Amino acid sequence: MNTTLLSYSSLPAERIGVHPPMELPSVIRLGTVHLAVASLARSLEFYQRVLGFALLSQSTAVEGQAAVAELGVAGTSQVLVRLSEQPGANPIPRRGRLGIYHLAVLLPSRADLGCFLKHVHSLGVYVGSSDHNYSEATYLTDPDGFTIEVYRDRPRSEWQVSEEGEIQSALDPLDEAGVLQAAGKTHWQGLPVGTTIGHLHFYIGSLAEAAAFYHTALGFDIETWSLSGALFVGAGGYHHHLGLNVWAAGSPVATEADARLLCWELWLPDADSRDAAAARLQAAGYAVDSTPEGPIATDPWGIRVLLGAETSSPQ
């Protein structure tokens, strides 16, 4: 059956995606991704030399507390990835644990992606790639088995949607020559200012249960639903802030013995929208713990999300 494709810009915002009864604000931000790794030194070598992260802070292990490194973009203070050392943590087998599949580092431009691609080629590091229609992406695997996507978005005016408002995804070959050409003669200098965590992708056990947590309760729109075994959810019409797939269904949930995602952060515009999201999750029967940093909710597979507020609500 042929699907009529439309320009993303041709549909009003309310027709893009499937909206829950109470949805997240259109402007959200993914904050720090907290990972447990087996060797901090080994991970830092990869995240700094290969991926181009800058080391923002580092602490050594003390009794009861792990050694920690915080990574971001040079010249900025925003922590994008926080690594906690857990000596002896098991590496992640391919599709072998429910939990994180990949974290995705969003570069500001195609030229930046081209610079990154030249850089990893010069290091002799294996990198996978794909054209997703709305983005151009590369994929690497870190020393613990985490997949890292490094990508750039096309302008929304170039995205496509179906008549039903589903954002169209693809798994086409990357135009590597075009991406490299976009870089010109510029050399990689590490992650450029403007780099963010663009999205996260999780291995989960059930699409229905995932939709109940992330769509109905938390409030993400379902943006893409026709991919085999996956849902892509986002806010503000973005192609996806989260990917949710059952491609590893039947595998065990990551445990404290494994390299794993400890927590991810979802930042909402203000305390009112944060508290409303926490209340929806709690009302739906999900565990929501109060912490000094903010409410932390846990999905059916132990994936924890810290809900943050960019600004305090007026008293």
Side-chain angles (χ1 to χ4, degrees):
M1 183 178 70
N2 292 327
T3 301
T4 301
L5 298 183
L6 308 171
S7 164
Y8 178 98
S9 306
S10 69
L11 289 185
E14 61 270 18
R15 292 218 21 226
I16 302 291
V18 177
H19 300 262
M22 296 294 293
E23 61 187 321
L24 289 169
S26 59
V27 179
I28 63 165
R29 174 174 67 86
L30 299 188
T32 307
V33 180
H34 302 248
L35 301 175
V37 299
S39 166
L40 202 53
R42 183 180 69 175
S43 292
L44 284 175
E45 198 275 339
F46 180 85
Y47 279 77
Q48 292 179 272
R49 183 177 70 92
V50 178
L51 296 178
F53 280 93
L55 180 62
L56 303 182
S57 71
Q58 186 172 357
S59 64
T60 56
V62 296
E63 189 173 348
Q65 291 188 326
V68 168
E70 295 183 326
L71 302 169
V73 175
T76 71
S77 59
Q78 176 62 48
V79 178
L80 299 180
V81 177
R82 187 176 192 268
L83 303 174
S84 295
E85 186 174 53
Q86 184 179 315
N90 298 321
I92 303 166
R94 184 176 183 272
R95 295 191 178 182
R97 295 288 185 272
L98 299 186
I100 191 167
Y101 167 30
H102 66 242
L103 64 92
V105 178
L106 175 59
L107 301 178
S109 72
R110 194 184 201 208
D112 293 321
L113 185 62
C115 286
F116 174 73
L117 199 52
K118 282 197 297 183
H119 162 68
V120 290
H121 284 341
S122 74
L123 296 177
V125 174
Y126 172 76
V127 56
S129 62
S130 187
D131 187 323
H132 294 308
N133 193 17
Y134 43 66
S135 69
E136 293 180 303
T138 61
Y139 296 90
L140 301 89
T141 303
D142 88 349
D144 290 279
F146 295 113
T147 300
I148 314 294
E149 176 178 345
V150 180
Y151 74 112
R152 73 98 182 183
D153 278 331
R154 288 191 169 90
R156 294 196 187 200
S157 60
E158 296 180 19
W159 299 3
Q160 293 180 309
V161 295
S162 70
E163 293 176 304
E164 294 74 35
E166 180 179 21
I167 298 176
Q168 299 300 293
S169 183
L171 286 172
D172 295 330
L174 179 70
D175 175 14
E176 187 170 310
V179 171
L180 290 169
Q181 185 176 22
K185 296 183 178 179
T186 306
H187 294 289
W188 180 249
Q189 301 292 325
L191 293 174
V193 172
T195 297
T196 62
I197 299 297
H199 65 268
L200 296 165
H201 200 145
F202 301 142
Y203 288 129
I204 48 88
S206 159
L207 293 181
E209 290 182 65
F213 182 92
Y214 290 101
H215 171 63
T216 307
L218 184 51
F220 278 109
D221 300 334
I222 299 176
E223 309 289 10
T224 302
W225 54 87
S226 293
L227 298 176
S228 178
L231 293 174
F232 284 3
V233 302
Y238 190 57
H239 54 73
H240 67 299
H241 287 103
L242 299 178
L244 308 164
N245 75 68
V246 293
W247 305 332
S251 297
V253 170
T255 72
E256 292 185 0
D258 300 312
R260 65 198 183 281
L261 175 69
L262 298 172
C263 181
W264 64 282
E265 298 178 5
L266 173 62
W267 285 78
L268 285 76
D270 51 54
D272 284 346
S273 54
R274 175 201 64 196
D275 294 345
R280 290 195 301 272
L281 288 161
Q282 205 156 26
Y286 299 107
V288 179
D289 298 319
S290 296
T291 76
E293 292 76 29
I296 295 182
T298 304
D299 84 355
W301 304 279
I303 299 170
R304 290 155 44 89
V305 52
L306 168 68
L307 302 177
E310 302 282 9
T311 62
S312 299
S313 298
Q315 300 299 315

